Structures are given as structure tokens and as C-alpha cells.
């Protein structure tokens, strides 16, 4: 579904990505994880053409990503970022209706779809006339997800979607997200810095450092069979102090 | 004899059916005497059945001369000295015949003298001059501590301060430039010791001033004449000729005093004079304050409204272009920045060769002034958009044009409106200067009020201008509120 081949990206002398190759199968959830600056967010942006790589190719749903194809490809991909990226001057409804309206979707269809997505994400349909600032952080992420799902795209790209949500709400949202991904059978790439979240949501985990993929696999394989010293250090650092107490 | 000629000329013109022609355009400078002379010229031509358009109290000599050159005006009153030294740049005086030979190439001619000489002079308070024992200009050399306050035109003219300073070898450290009418007040308040005078100024007696003797004979003759385009209707030229040698110095001082000190309307003073000389009858209609206010308000609103609307139409796209095309970003921003640095008065004068005098050049200047705040705020409002939002918009799969229209521009709207608000307020204030080039508006009563030393008249322009500025601000605040969202 998503194929990334030999991607290299430099910012001046700094290497953000070094010859990265990755494939995501249809219906699977892949979690990109690694320390800050490892290149995981850059890789996600490259998949959408938001950042142009120095070399390498991206293929989304059998189509090669280029300047010409970017617009169409983006319309088949839902994208959610850390603080939602909701437009503050538009109501939740207007935010969600932005792309469908541009694509000439009828008002009835939009409202029907909104009802479905409200049920899915647990947002009151009556609240959609509110502005983003009038929702809590968790609700904003839910609406952002609704906006991403409006045109029922086969692919979802999520960049730290729960990064700024407080722990209690986050726990609920994680379960809801997992449920949604599976129920809708979406192909998902998720960027997170939390190994627990990656393990909970991801079918496969891709651990990155300094612009390169260090280890790929299930959470079990990464925790139990770390490839090298960096991986075991990373896993150790992510273990909660609570566990040590027990 | 003169009366007879006048009447004959009048009858001839009436019978030859010249009524349908374009109006004869008369101008005058920004001081009483020029305004009165302009009024006299206007009424005498009008009385002969011509349509006249009188643009009174336009800025300085250059504005009027250029307006004549560019066929924006037909006639204005001036002085031989000014034409010779200021306009022609000569160093020696010329006779009227010599002047006419020189200016023929410009398609401009002057009449013979109207009958009086209004030369420059320097003056002080009588008591102050006596205390210091100053009789003549050369005595000023002994008193370098005195403060000189000169009209801006005098300060810069070769036949004004620069000439007198070098002729009399005067110290120039305490010289200030200010409006001639305000200079008298400065003198009265003892802020200024020496000012430039016109020898026909009504204030010389009123303020008990000492006119210092020009003991080196520096100031040349400033015979009052009428300047006109050579292609001016021959009958009108004849009418102008009828005014030659009709006004002596005492007449002029008394008319100046009527307007300046007794507060009689220019039109009435001119009418009384013409009535006395030629026995002509003109029904004079004096406009009242509310009519005048209505007129100046309409003028001002049109000036501000049209210039601001056009500026918005150009400035927002320019701001967008600067934001979208990095190559021309600096070019656009620095261009509008440079335009803004041109002093407003200079900009008004620059507009005259392009658009003549009146409303259009004033609008053009105001338009140029309104660009910068709007362009800059549009640009900065777009540039300062949050990166996450920008990325989300692109990631949604919306084309650039839709992102601009639905997201970037609405988010930049508060900044754009703030720019428009700034422009509107500056525009309302600057538009008062439009009166200097005949655009009317609130500047008209302000200029007249300064000229006549009439505070009520100044306020008649200043208060509505301030109110309009506040209204403009309030109006755009309201629009901003209309488009605001919870944050």
C-alpha cells in the first residue's frame, strides 16, 4: 500500500534520512518510533509530499508520488498532527466539510458521513457548530481524525496524534484509535515517541535513529531480541519506573 | 473710461454667445491677498457672462505655475519679482515686457501691473526694534541672538532669506520656517523676533510692526500682475487688461485688512471693490456653516473613500504576491516602503504634472500613501501563519488557490484589517492637505481658518476630520468583530 524506496534527505550538513526503505501492507498499522530528531516525522511528511526528499521514491497505492500526483494522493490519505491542526476560524463542521465541499460532495452526503464519524469517535453531532478552541484537547484530536476520515481514505498518517493529550484521556483515545483502525481496515502509519503506545497500536514497529531504520518487527521481538546496544537502551529508557517498584 | 470699456466688453461677450465654452479656470495661492485677487479676477470674468471655476488657496507658486503649464489652470495672480527670481531663476530684475518675452515659449503671458507693489520686507515689533535701536536690516548684524521666523517659501527662495543673508551677511543660526499667518502670532507671543512681511500685509498696522529699511536695496519690485495662458480667450484677456492699474497699495492693504482683521468674506471684499470701480452688480450668496460642512464632508469622504478603496484593491493582491512569490517579495515591500517616505506635500506636488490639480491628484497621492500599511499587513499576516496549520491545509489535499482563499486569507484577516484601519486613519488626516491642490475637503476650512486667523473655522475642519478618523476606526473594528472567532 505504501512503499518508500531509498529515501535520503539532508538539511544542510545534517542528515535527516539516510537511504531509508520501508513498505506498509494494506490494513496494517506501522508505528515509527525513535528519539527526537531520528527522522520519523520527516519520513511521514515525505510520504505525503510535504517534504521533498533529495533522492528516492514514494509509492502510495501503486501511484508514484510526484508534484503532479501529490494533490490526488493527499486526497486518499488522512493526516492528523499533534495538536490537531484544526483551523481556528472554522467550526468543527466547516473543518470537516472543507475537503468534501471542494470535491463537490453534496450536503446530504457530508451530513450523513459526519453522523457516522460522530458515532465512531464519540463526538456529539450538535457540538460540530462549535469552534476548535471550544473543545478539549482530546476532543480536538477526535475531530481532527473525523476530518481526516471524511472522504474515507484507505490510508491514515498520524504524527504524534496523542502527543499533547493528558494521560487519562490518552488511554481512552488509544483504545478508541485501535478499534477504529481495525474496524475500518485502514492502512496506518503512526509516529510516536512512546514505545507502549507503538506496541499497543502497531502491528509492526519501526525503530529509527539518526536517519536510519535500526530494527523492524513486533513489540515482542524488539523488546525480547534487541538488535544492538541502542535498541536495548531505548527499550530500557521507555520502561516505566512503576514497573521497577513492582 | 475704464468703466465704459468694461461695460462694452461685457456686452460684446454676452452677445457673442460664448457661454457654452469650458469654464475659465482661475487659481490663487495660499494667502489672503492672492485669494482676494483671485476672487476679483473670478468675479470680473463671471460678470462678463463666462463660466468660471475658481480654485482658491492652492499651495505655493510652483503648484500654480505648473498647473498653468499643464493646462490645468488658465489664470492666477502673481508678482513680477516672484516670476523673475523664483520661476525664471534670473539674478537681475526684468521689466514686464522682458518677462513676457521670456515666458512666451511656455505659452504664458502676464498683464501689466495691477497698480501696487507688494515686496518682501523684514519686520519686528515696534517697541522691540526701538529698544534695540534697530532701524534697518543691516542693524540686525549687531543682534545675532534674535530669532527669525520665516515663511517656508521665503526661506527657500533665492530672492528671500538666502539672498538677504548673503547680501547683509547675517547670522543664520536662529531661523525657523513656519506659516506666514502663524508668524504674526509667534511675533505677538514673543517667540519670534523678526519675520518676513509682505508690504501690503494688513497686520503691519494692526500689530504695530516696524518695517525694517532695506538699506542695501536687496528686495526688488514685486508688482502684482495676472499670469495667464496665451491661448486664453481674447475677450477674457481683455477683461484682465481692464484690471491693470486699478488697485493701489492703500486699496490692497485695506482689502487685506477687511478679510484678515474684520473677518469679511473674500467674495464680498472683492465684490465691493469691483462694484466701486466698475459699478458691477453681483448677487452674492453667502453659504452658511452647515452647507459648507456638508460640502467639505462629501469632498472629504469621496477623497478618502475612493483612494482607500482603490488602495485596498491593489494592496491586498500585492501583499499576496509578495507572500507567494519569494522572488518579488523584497521588491514589492521596498517599493511601497519607498513611496511612503515621500513627504506628503511633495507627493501632492508630484501628482500635478500627471493629474493636474483638484480631486484626482489628491486621490492619487492618498492612494499611494494607503498602500504600505495594507501591503505590509497582508504580507505579514500571511507569513506569520502557524506552520502546523499550513501543513494540515496542504496535507488535506486542497489546491493552493483554495488554501489561500479558505484558510490563509481568513486567518490573516485581522492583520489585513488592522492595516486597512491604519491606512484609513492616516488617509483621513492626510486628506486635509488635499485642499492645498484644490481638492476641497476638511482641509479647506482649516487652510482658510489659518489664513484668516479664525480658530472657529480651523475647528470646523479639524473636528470633523478627527471624528471621521474615529468613525473609520470604529467601522473597521466592527468588521473585525464580525469576522472574529473564539480563540
Amino acid at each position: 500500500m505504501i512503499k518508500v524506496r531509498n529515501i535520503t534527505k539532508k538539511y544542510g550538513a545534517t542528515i535527516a534520512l539516510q537511504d531509508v526503505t520501508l513498505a506498509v501492507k494494506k490494513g496494517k498499522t506501522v508505528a515509527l518510533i525513535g528519539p527526537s530528531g531520528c527522522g520519523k516525522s520527516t519520513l511521514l511528511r515525505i510520504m505525503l509530499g510535504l517534504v521533498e526528499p533529495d533522492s528516492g521514491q514514494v509509492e502510495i497505492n501503486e501511484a508514484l508520488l510526484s508534484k503532479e500526483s501529490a494533490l490526488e494522493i493527499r486526497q486518499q490519505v488522512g493526516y492528523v498532527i499533534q495538536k490537531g491542526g484544526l483551523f481556528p476560524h472554522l467550526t468543527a463542521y466547516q473543518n470537516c466539510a472543507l475537503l468534501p465541499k471542494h470535491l463537490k460532495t453534496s450536503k446530504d452526503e457530508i451530513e450523513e458521513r459526519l453522523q457516522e464519524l460522530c458515532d465512531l469517535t464519540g463526538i456529539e453531532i450538535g457540538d460540530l457548530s462549535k469552534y476548535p478552541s471550544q473543545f478539549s484537547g482530546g476532543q480536538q484530536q477526535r475531530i481532527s481524525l473525523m476530518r481526516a476520515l471524511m472522504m474515507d481514505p484507505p490510508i491514515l498518517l498520524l504524527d504524534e496524534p496523542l502527543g499533547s493529550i493528558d494521560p487519562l484521556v490518552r488511554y481512552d483515545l488509544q483504545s478508541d484509535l485501535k478499534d477504529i483502525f481495525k474496524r475500518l481496515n485502514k492502512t496506518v502509519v503512526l509516529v510516536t515517541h512512546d514505545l507502549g503506545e507503538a506496541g499497543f497500536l502497531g502491528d509492526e514497529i519501526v525503530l529509527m535513529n539518526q536517519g536510519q531504520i535500526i530494527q523492524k518487527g513486533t513489540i515482542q521481538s524488539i523488546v525480547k531480541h534487541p538488535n544492538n546496544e541502542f535498541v536495548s537502551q531505548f527499550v530500557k529508557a521507555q520502561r516505566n519506573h512503576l514497573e521497577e517498584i513492582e | 473710461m475704464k468703466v465704459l470699456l468694461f461695460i462694452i466688453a461685457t456686452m460684446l461677450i454676452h452677445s457673442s454667445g460664448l457661454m457654452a465654452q469650458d469654464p475659465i479656470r482661475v487659481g490663487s495661492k495660499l494667502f489672503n491677498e492672492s485669494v482676494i485677487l483671485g476672487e476679483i479676477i473670478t468675479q470680473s470674468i463671471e460678470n462678463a457672462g463666462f463660466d468660471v471655476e475658481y480654485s482658491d488657496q492652492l499651495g505655493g507658486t510652483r503648484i500654480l505655475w505648473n498647473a498653468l503649464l499643464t493646462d490645468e489652470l488658465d489664470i492666477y495672480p502673481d508678482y513680477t519679482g516672484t516670476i523673475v527670481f523664483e520661476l525664471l531663476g534670473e539674478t537681475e530684475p526684468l521689466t514686464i515686457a522682458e518677462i513676457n518675452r521670456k515666458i512666451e515659449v511656455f505659452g504664458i503671458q502676464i498683464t501689466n501691473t495691477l497698480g501696487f507693489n507688494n515686496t518682501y520686507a523684514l519686520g519686528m515689533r515696534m517697541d522691540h526694534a526701538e529698544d534695540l535701536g534697530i532701524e534697518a536690516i543691516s542693524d540686525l548684524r549687531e543682534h545675532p541672538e534674535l530669532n527669525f521666523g520665516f515663511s517656508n517659501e521665503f526661506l527657500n527662495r533665492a530672492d528671500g532669506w538666502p539672498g538677504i543673508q548673503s547680501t547683509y551677511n547675517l547670522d543664520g543660526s536662529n531661523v525657523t520656517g513656519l506659516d506666514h499667518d502663524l508668524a504674526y502670532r509667534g511675533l505677538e507671543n514673543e517667540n519670534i523676533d523678526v519675520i518676513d512681511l509682505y508690504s501690503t500685509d494688513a497686520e503691519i498696522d494692526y500689530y504695530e510692526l516696524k518695517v525694517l529699511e532695506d538699506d542695501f536695496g536687496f528686495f526688488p519690485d514685486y508688482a502684482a500682475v495676472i499670469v495667464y495662458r496665451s491661448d486664453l480667450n481674447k475677450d477674457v484677456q481683455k477683461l484682465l487688461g481692464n484690471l491693470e492699474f486699478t488697485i493701489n497699495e492703500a486699496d490692497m492693504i485695506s482689502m487685506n485688512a477687511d478679510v484678515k482683521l474684520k473677518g469679511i468674506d473674500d467674495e464680498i471684499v472683492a465684490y465691493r471693490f469691483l462694484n466701486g470701480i466698475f459699478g458691477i452688480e453681483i448677487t452674492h450668496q453667502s453659504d452658511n456653516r452647515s452647507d459648507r460642512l456638508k460640502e467639505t464632508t462629501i469632498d472629504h469622504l469621496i477623497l478618502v473613500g475612493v483612494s482607500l478603496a482603490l488602495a485596498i484593491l491593489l494592496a491586498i493582491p500585492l501583499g499576496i504576491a509578495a507572500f507567494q512569490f519569494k522572488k518579488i517579495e523584497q521588491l514589492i515591500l521596498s517599493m511601497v516602503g519607498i513611496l511612503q517616505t515621500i513627504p506628503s506635500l511633495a507627493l501632492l506636488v508630484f501628482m500635478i504634472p500627471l493629474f493636474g490639480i483638484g480631486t484626482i491628484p489628491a486621490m492619487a497621492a492618498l492612494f499611494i500613501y494607503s498602500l504600505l500599511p495594507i501591503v505590509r499587513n497582508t504580507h505579514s499576516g500571511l507569513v506569520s501563519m502557524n506552520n502546523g496549520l499550513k501543513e494540515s491545509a496542504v496535507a488535506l489535499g486542497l489546491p493552493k488557490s483554495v488554501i489561500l482563499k479558505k484558510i490563509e486569507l481568513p486567518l490573516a484577516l485581522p492583520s489585513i484589517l488592522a492595516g486597512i484601519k491604519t491606512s484609513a486613519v492616516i488617509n483621513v488626516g492626510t486628506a486635509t492637505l488635499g485642499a492645498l491642490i484644490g481638492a476641497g475637503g476638511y482641509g479647506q476650512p482649516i487652510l482658510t481658518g489659518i489664513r484668516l486667523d479664525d480658530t472657529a473655522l480651523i475647528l470646523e475642519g479639524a473636528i470633523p476630520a478627527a471624528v471621521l478618523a474615529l468613525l473609520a476606526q470604529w467601522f473597521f473594528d466592527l468588521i473585525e468583530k464580525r469576522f472574529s472567532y473564539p480563540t
Side-chain angles (χ1 to χ4, degrees):
Chain A
M1 198 67 175
I2 303 173
K3 285 183 188 140
V4 170
R5 269 183 242 119
N6 310 105
I7 294 282
T8 296
K9 174 72 189 175
K10 289 180 195 153
Y11 291 107
T14 320
I15 297 171
L17 292 169
Q18 175 80 53
D19 199 24
V20 172
T21 296
L22 177 71
V24 183
K25 290 202 182 79
K26 189 170 189 306
K28 294 293 178 195
T29 298
V30 167
L32 299 179
I33 190 164
S36 304
C38 70
K40 57 191 191 297
S41 279
T42 304
L43 185 58
L44 196 75
R45 286 192 175 86
I46 284 175
M47 290 178 188
L48 258 187
L50 298 175
V51 172
E52 214 177 321
D54 298 334
S55 61
Q57 286 179 331
V58 176
E59 211 179 90
I60 302 280
N61 212 359
E62 318 260 289
L64 199 63
L65 179 67
S66 66
K67 275 211 168 87
E68 293 71 35
S69 67
L71 212 58
E72 213 170 304
I73 285 177
R74 285 172 193 151
Q75 289 169 6
Q76 298 168 38
V77 177
Y79 182 65
V80 177
I81 59 171
Q82 184 163 2
K83 281 182 181 165
L86 292 172
F87 306 115
H89 65 296
L90 300 176
T91 62
Y93 180 97
Q94 290 168 325
N95 262 285
C96 291
L98 210 49
L99 181 62
K101 267 192 179 159
H102 171 67
L103 297 174
K104 307 263 184 282
T105 310
S106 76
K107 197 170 180 236
D108 289 346
E109 278 175 276
I110 290 175
E111 282 179 2
E112 196 179 316
R113 178 74 181 149
L114 276 172
Q115 184 63 61
E116 283 170 29
L117 291 174
C118 275
D119 295 343
L120 191 71
T121 56
I123 291 285
E124 290 289 331
I125 189 132
D127 283 348
L128 292 183
S129 59
K130 288 202 226 163
Y131 285 89
S133 64
Q134 294 168 315
F135 292 96
S136 69
Q139 285 174 314
Q140 284 183 24
Q141 292 309 89
R142 287 171 194 270
I143 292 162
S144 190
L145 185 66
M146 281 174 65
R147 183 175 73 184
L149 290 169
M150 279 303 283
M151 298 311 292
D152 200 13
I155 297 171
L156 277 178
L157 300 182
L158 312 169
D159 191 354
E160 303 256 11
L162 309 178
S164 58
I165 306 297
D166 69 73
L168 277 176
V169 179
R170 190 172 177 160
Y171 186 81
D172 285 344
L173 266 171
Q174 283 169 343
S175 326
D176 285 358
L177 273 182
K178 183 166 184 163
D179 186 46
I180 291 167
F181 294 163
K182 291 304 151 197
R183 201 144 34 115
L184 301 180
N185 194 30
K186 299 293 180 196
T187 307
V188 181
V189 180
L190 167 88
V191 167
T192 177
H193 59 266
D194 177 348
L195 190 59
E197 185 171 288
F200 179 70
L201 292 171
D203 300 310
E204 186 179 35
I205 289 173
V206 175
L207 179 58
M208 294 179 68
N209 191 34
Q210 293 178 340
Q212 287 177 305
I213 295 174
I214 306 297
Q215 189 168 355
K216 272 192 287 200
T218 60
I219 180 83
Q220 286 81 6
S221 71
I222 285 181
V223 173
K224 301 224 170 101
H225 311 288
N227 265 0
N228 57 26
E229 187 55 23
F230 167 77
V231 181
S232 45
Q233 277 297 320
F234 186 81
V235 171
K236 191 181 162 203
Q238 291 262 342
R239 280 192 190 283
N240 202 303
H241 291 298
L242 269 180
E243 292 176 28
E244 290 163 23
I245 295 164
E246 284 162 15
Chain B
M1 185 60 190
K2 277 253 141 61
V3 181
L4 198 66
L5 275 177
F6 194 92
I7 293 166
I8 293 169
T10 306
M11 285 167 60
L12 276 174
I13 290 156
H14 270 299
S15 57
S16 55
L18 289 163
M19 296 288 287
Q21 286 191 337
D22 289 339
I24 308 293
R25 299 151 306 172
V26 179
S28 65
K29 299 191 206 179
L30 186 53
F31 55 90
N32 277 314
E33 187 167 300
S34 190
V35 175
I36 298 167
L37 290 175
E39 195 63 57
I40 289 174
I41 295 165
T42 300
Q43 291 187 18
S44 60
I45 302 172
E46 242 168 14
N47 185 61
F50 287 93
D51 211 1
V52 181
E53 207 177 81
Y54 180 28
S55 311
D56 64 350
Q57 51 191 23
L58 299 172
T61 304
R62 283 278 159 198
I63 291 181
L64 286 139
W65 179 258
N66 284 335
L68 228 63
L69 284 178
T70 55
D71 200 8
E72 290 292 330
L73 280 181
D74 296 308
I75 305 168
Y76 81 94
D78 212 333
Y79 306 90
T80 50
T82 310
I83 298 168
V84 172
F85 302 107
E86 175 66 9
L87 293 171
L88 300 177
E90 301 286 331
T91 46
E92 296 299 322
L94 299 176
T95 65
I96 286 179
E98 284 167 339
I99 294 173
N100 271 331
R101 274 198 293 281
K102 290 242 178 207
I103 61 177
E104 210 174 354
V105 289
F106 303 120
I108 292 177
Q109 290 288 279
I110 61 174
T111 62
N112 213 325
T113 173
L114 296 177
F116 69 94
N117 184 19
N118 180 8
T119 187
Y120 272 124
L122 295 188
M124 298 179 67
R125 289 189 309 281
M126 188 77 81
D127 52 346
H128 195 200
E130 277 167 11
D131 286 351
L132 299 176
I134 296 174
E135 285 285 335
I137 299 177
S138 59
D139 295 333
L140 292 174
R141 277 184 297 202
E142 314 291 320
H143 299 279
E145 77 285 359
L146 294 175
N147 289 316
F148 294 8
F150 295 140
S151 64
N152 289 308
E153 194 164 341
F154 181 79
L155 205 51
N156 295 310
R157 285 165 62 139
D159 56 341
W161 171 244
I164 203 128
Q165 184 182 19
S166 62
T167 304
Y168 285 92
N169 194 20
L170 295 176
D171 178 60
S173 45
N174 300 323
V175 176
T176 328
L178 76 175
D179 183 86
H180 185 59
D181 294 301
L182 299 177
Y184 286 109
R185 291 206 218 173
L187 201 61
E188 200 184 15
N189 299 338
E190 307 193 6
N191 293 323
I192 300 169
D193 304 308
V194 181
I195 66 170
D196 57 312
L197 299 171
Y198 303 115
S199 57
T200 50
D201 275 354
E203 291 87 345
I204 295 172
D205 287 343
Y206 180 78
Y207 288 107
E208 296 178 14
L209 302 185
K210 167 88 182 165
V211 178
L212 303 185
E213 191 196 334
D214 180 15
D215 46 346
F216 290 3
F218 171 75
F219 290 120
D221 268 4
Y222 281 78
V225 294
I226 301 172
V227 188
Y228 60 92
R229 289 180 58 82
S230 314
D231 59 9
L232 179 67
N233 182 308
K234 289 282 177 280
D235 297 308
V236 178
Q237 290 190 24
K238 242 181 241 163
L239 291 170
L240 298 182
N242 290 343
L243 292 169
E244 290 167 1
F245 301 104
T246 53
I247 309 170
N248 65 30
E249 223 150 296
D251 292 337
M252 199 64 240
I253 292 175
S254 130
M255 284 194 277
N256 283 337
D258 281 348
V259 171
K260 179 83 187 250
L261 305 175
K262 296 184 191 158
I264 304 172
D265 202 278
D266 316 312
E267 285 177 50
I268 296 174
V269 171
Y271 161 67
R272 282 185 190 160
F273 168 78
L274 288 171
N275 184 272
I277 300 238
F278 301 115
I280 64 172
E281 297 283 344
I282 299 169
T283 45
H284 174 78
Q285 272 184 325
S286 173
D287 49 351
N288 61 29
R289 178 158 294 185
S290 73
D291 284 349
R292 209 162 50 208
L293 189 61
K294 201 153 76 185
E295 202 175 306
T296 53
T297 301
I298 292 169
D299 284 350
H300 210 88
L301 280 176
I302 291 174
L303 272 181
V304 171
V306 174
S307 61
L308 188 66
L310 291 176
I312 292 170
L313 285 182
L314 179 67
I316 293 180
L318 273 181
I320 294 171
F323 162 69
Q324 286 195 320
F325 309 108
K326 295 288 164 224
K327 275 187 189 151
I328 53 170
E329 180 178 11
Q330 281 316 313
L331 181 75
I332 291 177
L333 293 180
S334 41
M335 282 278 283
V336 291
I338 288 167
L339 287 176
Q340 196 78 10
T341 62
I342 305 172
S344 40
L345 211 51
L347 191 59
L348 282 173
V349 176
F350 291 155
M351 289 298 131
I352 294 179
L354 300 174
F355 302 107
I357 56 166
T359 307
I360 304 293
M363 269 179 193
L366 291 173
F367 162 78
I368 287 173
Y369 267 120
S370 301
L371 290 177
L372 179 71
I374 307 177
V375 171
R376 192 172 281 172
N377 275 37
T378 303
H379 172 260
S380 68
L382 290 168
V383 166
S384 65
M385 186 173 147
N386 175 318
N387 270 333
L389 289 183
K390 186 154 193 169
E391 210 171 81
S392 295
V394 176
L396 264 183
L398 294 172
K400 258 185 152 180
S401 58
V402 177
I403 293 176
L404 181 70
K405 192 174 140 209
K406 298 275 189 183
I407 295 160
E408 288 172 322
L409 279 176
L411 285 173
L413 190 69
S415 172
I416 297 173
L417 280 173
I420 295 176
K421 197 156 62 182
T422 308
S423 281
V425 172
I426 294 176
N427 198 324
V428 168
T430 312
T432 55
L433 292 177
L436 285 172
I437 55 170
Y442 293 138
Q444 199 72 30
I446 295 177
L447 289 184
T448 312
I450 293 173
R451 177 166 67 80
L452 300 178
D453 200 0
D454 181 342
T455 310
L457 206 51
I458 295 175
L459 292 178
E460 190 183 310
I463 291 174
V467 170
L468 188 60
L470 287 174
L471 281 178
Q473 182 143 3
W474 171 78
F475 175 72
F476 287 109
D477 281 342
L478 213 67
I479 294 186
E480 200 177 333
K481 205 172 263 173
R482 164 77 185 71
F483 285 103
S484 70
Y485 47 84
T487 50

